[in-house]
């Protein structure tokens, strides 16, 4: 994180800052501070001017006396409230991706697809200014939303981040040198289709991590990794979080939890001409037929799409947030 990002995430609230307001019943709303604007609720109006200049973590009162806690959103808060072109990777999975893929400061990381930019923000924070993030996205509208969301949170366009439009299998060889990438993170419907290009780009010992939603995708990408002979045996897992209610002696699990969102599968690139020792294990069914492949198609998987009208609206919302964030007077802090 550079000095400007540190300034933007500390000090008194300024015009262009995003602020998370928590009401008396725990309901949260995220707004972008604009001089002269007001925030409307069912219980009164809160002026943005009353928030600008206050320290982070202040309590503000609206025109009818209702109090709200004002805080700058954490990155985990921001990604859950930012405009979305595509579905995001939840913070619980992003944290595991950083750990399991061993994302480190100064790393060269390839990411595909970029979606709405949620994982890109986590990766940029982890690799630091000395690292490089190369993101790939097929849809231009999603790339626009991601660019705007990242500029909104960081206050600028990161110099160490590029986003390339196109298919990863075709674009990656023209973007990076062979064996120059430390980590690859794939969040796409059919990651096995890009395995050849990814394998050429990864350094020996580099980590490949795939995020997939269904067990059929998990099975196919695992067998593709094994069948390539270029990786260690893949490890697979999922992450679930269950919160707890703790108030005095009333200690119990929350009634709701974040359950399954996706599977993570990781493997490490072997050195050239290396043959992995065969594992001694019981035989298992690894073959698949045409009917199984049909179950892995986008239609059968129930791929969700966003209507063009909704997507255009989200692109405009993300762009507005980015413009306000970039226009902040950093010297005022």
């Amino acid at each position: 994180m550079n000095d400007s990002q540190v300034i933007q995430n500390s000090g008194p609230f300024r015009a262009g800052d995003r602020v998370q307001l928590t009401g008396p019943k725990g309901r949260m709303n995220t707004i972008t501070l604009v001089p002269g604007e007001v925030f409307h609720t069912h219980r009164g109006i809160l002026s943005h001017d009353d928030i600008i200049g206050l320290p982070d973590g202040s309590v503000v009162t609206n025109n009818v006396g209702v109090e709200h806690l004002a805080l700058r959103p954490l990155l985990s808060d921001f990604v859950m409230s930012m405009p979305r072109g595509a579905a995001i990777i939840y913070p619980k999975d992003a944290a595991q991706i950083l750990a399991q893929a061993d994302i480190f400061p100064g790393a060269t990381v390839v990411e595909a697809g970029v979606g709405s930019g949620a994982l890109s923000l986590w990766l940029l924070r982890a690799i630091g200014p000395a690292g490089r993030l190369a993101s790939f996205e097929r849809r231009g509208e999603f790339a626009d939303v991601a660019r705007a969301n990242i500029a909104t949170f960081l206050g600028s366009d990161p110099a160490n981040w590029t986003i390339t439009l196109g298919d990863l299998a075709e674009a990656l060889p023209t973007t990076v040198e062979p064996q120059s990438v430390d980590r690859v993170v794939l969040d796409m419907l059919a990651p096995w289709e890009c395995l050849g290009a990814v394998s050429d780009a990864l350094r020996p010992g580099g980590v490949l991590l795939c995020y997939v939603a269904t067990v059929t995708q998990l099975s196919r990408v695992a067998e593709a990794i094994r069948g390539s002979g270029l990786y260690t045996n893949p490890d697979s897992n999922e992450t679930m979080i269950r919160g707890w209610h703790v108030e005095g002696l009333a200690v119990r699990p929350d009634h709701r939890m974040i359950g399954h969102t996706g599977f993570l599968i990781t493997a490490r690139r072997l050195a050239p001409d290396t043959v992995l020792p065969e594992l001694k294990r019981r035989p298992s069914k690894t073959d698949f037929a045409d009917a199984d492949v049909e179950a892995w198609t986008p239609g059968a998987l129930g791929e969700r799409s966003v209507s063009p009208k909704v997507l255009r609206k989200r692109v405009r919302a993300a762009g507005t947030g980015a413009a306000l964030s970039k226009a902040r007077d950093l010297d005022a802090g």
Side-chain angles (χ1 to χ4, degrees), residues 3-27:
D3 292 341
S4 66
Q5 293 172 21
V6 173
I7 293 172
Q8 290 173 7
N9 288 290
S10 63
F13 292 123
R14 299 176 302 277
D17 279 349
R18 288 177 69 86
V19 177
Q20 182 176 275
L21 298 173
T22 305
K25 293 186 178 180
R27 182 175 180 178

Side-chain angles (χ1 to χ4, degrees), residues 25-26 31 44-45 56 79 123 144 148 179 187 200 211 224 243 271 279 289 300 311 315:
K25 293 186 178 180
I31 65 172
I45 298 172
D56 201 349
V79 298
L123 292 171
D144 290 340
Q179 297 188 17
D187 173 19
D200 291 339
Y211 177 86
L279 288 178
L311 190 53
V315 170

